[in-house]
Amino acid sequence: MIIQRVVLNSRPGKNGVPVAENFRLEQSTIADTVQVGQVRVKTLYLSVDPYMRCRMNEDTGSDYLKPWQLSEVADGGGIGVVEESKHHNLTKGDFVTSFTWPWQTVAILDGDLLQKLVPQLVNGRLSYFLGAAGITGLTALLGIREKGHVAAGANQTMVVSGAAGACGSLAGQIGRLEGCSRVVGIAGTDEKCSILVQEMGFDAAINYKKEDVAKQLCELCPGGVDVYFDNVGGDISDTVISQMNQNSHIILCGQISQYNKDVPYPPPLPPDIEKIQKERNITRERFLVLNYMEKQEASVLQLCQWIQEGKLKVKETVVEGLANIGAAFQSMMNGGNIGKQVISVLK
């Protein structure tokens, strides 16, 4: 069977900025027959995420992420529909997902590695299982619950960097649902800041490209910062940490400002900021959602309930066509999208 797939065409280098040309669309073939335990699936949606930048390097810098190989198909979160099955628990027409879905139009996969989806849980919006009801939403929810130490009635202030992104836009809302009394986001455009306040329920948002972040934080967080959901690292995070309270907590989710630099993860703090962290007993521990998968089922159901009740607003940037996945990746790394970025492979 002839299919289309996207392979890694070239590496941007450890310190380079990814471009669309790092990926290549090509024709390939898969077997015409399905073996026992396998299913043939048609790809519907693919997820594009910042962590994938690490997979473009020969060494990902991580013990749980495998690098993409040159001229080999890339992979990540994906959703598809079963077209043929020889797996005991999957039948034709089932919707399924995997964290290692190949970037191709049709694939033959091991049925044991697939998770069956229930579209009704997300009001039929299957792509939500790649975002708000998937690994992105789990990262936000479990990050806050496991590392944020949020307590209802404690009058805590949360700051979220990268707040208009896939994880940040959910984290701010979840912080409020879990009990934070004030939530402030940091984003890169006036449009993003407006959406955070007007649609996502943030109390305020700072445009770091136009405003003095330190000054704005002083005004918007007069009682200091108790919880910081860190998606970006770098200068912005240093500024937030300098205004954090005694015994406060950093949820170390991502460091997108550092992904194009050859530095360890998590990147070390500047000496003056590290001194503040230690003197104020601010926790800053690496958070990996995959370490909490025993809580996945209950957490996904919680996220789906919030979505159904309208308490969790979802933003997606959906790009049509497998051929555009490279350009979508480049745009995401440049901060061009709002909310979750998804590739629709329906056409």
Side-chain angles (χ1 to χ4, degrees):
M1 178 183 292
I2 298 175
I3 64 165
Q4 286 188 315
R5 67 177 192 171
V6 171
V7 303
L8 185 66
N9 187 50
S10 59
R11 301 189 190 275
K14 281 197 171 184
N15 299 303
V17 178
V19 294
E21 290 73 24
N22 291 135
F23 299 96
R24 182 177 76 247
L25 179 71
E26 64 179 26
Q27 279 195 344
S28 185
T29 59
I30 61 171
D32 290 324
T33 57
V34 176
Q35 302 299 315
V36 174
Q38 295 181 328
V39 295
R40 187 178 75 245
V41 291
K42 179 181 179 181
T43 303
L44 301 179
Y45 298 102
L46 295 170
S47 178
V48 182
D49 302 285
Y51 82 86
M52 292 174 171
R53 172 61 183 85
C54 304
R55 302 191 67 190
M56 299 180 79
N57 297 335
E58 288 185 86
D59 179 7
T60 66
S62 168
D63 54 1
Y64 68 93
L65 288 178
K66 294 182 179 180
W68 287 329
Q69 299 301 317
L70 289 173
S71 295
E72 295 293 332
V73 66
D75 68 293
I79 291 172
V81 61
V82 175
E83 292 188 323
E84 181 182 352
S85 175
K86 289 188 179 179
H87 186 272
H88 65 91
N89 196 39
L90 296 172
T91 60
K92 183 177 180 180
D94 283 345
F95 295 106
V96 291
T97 186
S98 167
F99 194 59
T100 56
W101 197 284
W103 287 6
Q104 57 193 56
T105 50
V106 180
I108 294 176
L109 303 176
D110 181 346
D112 287 341
L113 302 180
L114 300 174
Q115 181 180 356
K116 195 183 300 187
L117 299 175
V118 181
Q120 292 84 351
L121 289 175
V122 288
N123 301 322
R125 298 291 297 272
L126 275 172
S127 58
Y128 282 12
F129 284 114
L130 294 178
I135 200 75
T136 309
L138 286 171
T139 299
L141 177 58
L142 292 173
I144 289 168
R145 287 184 171 176
E146 300 296 329
K147 300 295 185 182
H149 300 272
V150 173
N155 197 32
Q156 293 166 298
T157 294
M158 172 186 279
V159 171
V160 183
S161 59
C167 199
S169 61
L170 298 171
Q173 298 179 76
I174 292 171
R176 171 84 74 201
L177 290 166
E178 290 289 286
C180 286
S181 59
R182 186 164 183 80
V183 179
V184 176
I186 302 173
T189 69
D190 289 341
E191 179 193 10
K192 291 178 179 179
C193 289
S194 177
I195 287 173
L196 290 175
V197 175
Q198 300 299 324
E199 299 183 31
M200 302 289 189
F202 284 63
D203 292 284
I206 302 168
N207 183 345
Y208 72 89
K209 293 183 179 180
K210 294 172 62 174
E211 299 178 89
D212 184 325
V213 176
K215 181 180 178 181
Q216 287 296 306
L217 282 173
C218 282
E219 294 179 5
L220 297 172
C221 308
V225 178
D226 301 296
V227 184
Y228 173 40
F229 200 99
D230 184 5
N231 285 304
V232 301
D235 293 341
I236 288 176
S237 289
D238 296 344
T239 301
V240 177
I241 294 170
S242 69
Q243 298 194 34
M244 294 188 74
N245 292 326
Q246 193 75 24
N247 301 319
S248 53
H249 305 282
I250 299 169
I251 302 166
L252 193 59
C253 178
Q255 302 280 278
I256 195 170
S257 72
Q258 308 299 301
Y259 287 168
N260 293 325
K261 301 177 183 179
D262 186 12
V263 295
Y265 186 87
L269 296 170
D272 57 329
I273 302 301
E274 185 178 16
K275 182 180 179 183
I276 290 173
Q277 181 205 348
K278 291 181 178 179
E279 288 178 347
R280 299 181 191 171
N281 192 34
I282 302 170
T283 63
R284 182 180 184 259
E285 302 169 345
R286 184 174 183 175
F287 171 73
L288 178 60
V289 70
L290 297 179
N291 290 337
Y292 301 91
M293 284 297 96
E294 75 278 3
K295 300 182 180 182
Q296 177 184 14
E297 184 176 353
S299 299
V300 167
L301 289 175
Q302 174 65 87
L303 292 163
C304 290
Q305 181 181 334
W306 282 336
I307 291 170
Q308 290 174 338
E309 294 172 347
K311 294 179 178 178
L312 195 60
K313 309 294 184 184
V314 182
K315 277 289 183 182
E316 287 184 312
T317 300
V318 180
V319 177
E320 299 285 343
L322 188 62
N324 295 315
I325 201 167
F329 190 92
Q330 178 179 346
S331 174
M332 176 198 62
M333 292 303 299
N334 290 330
N337 59 294
I338 299 174
K340 179 68 183 181
Q341 180 132 301
V342 176
I343 303 298
S344 172
V345 195
L346 291 167
K347 292 185 177 180

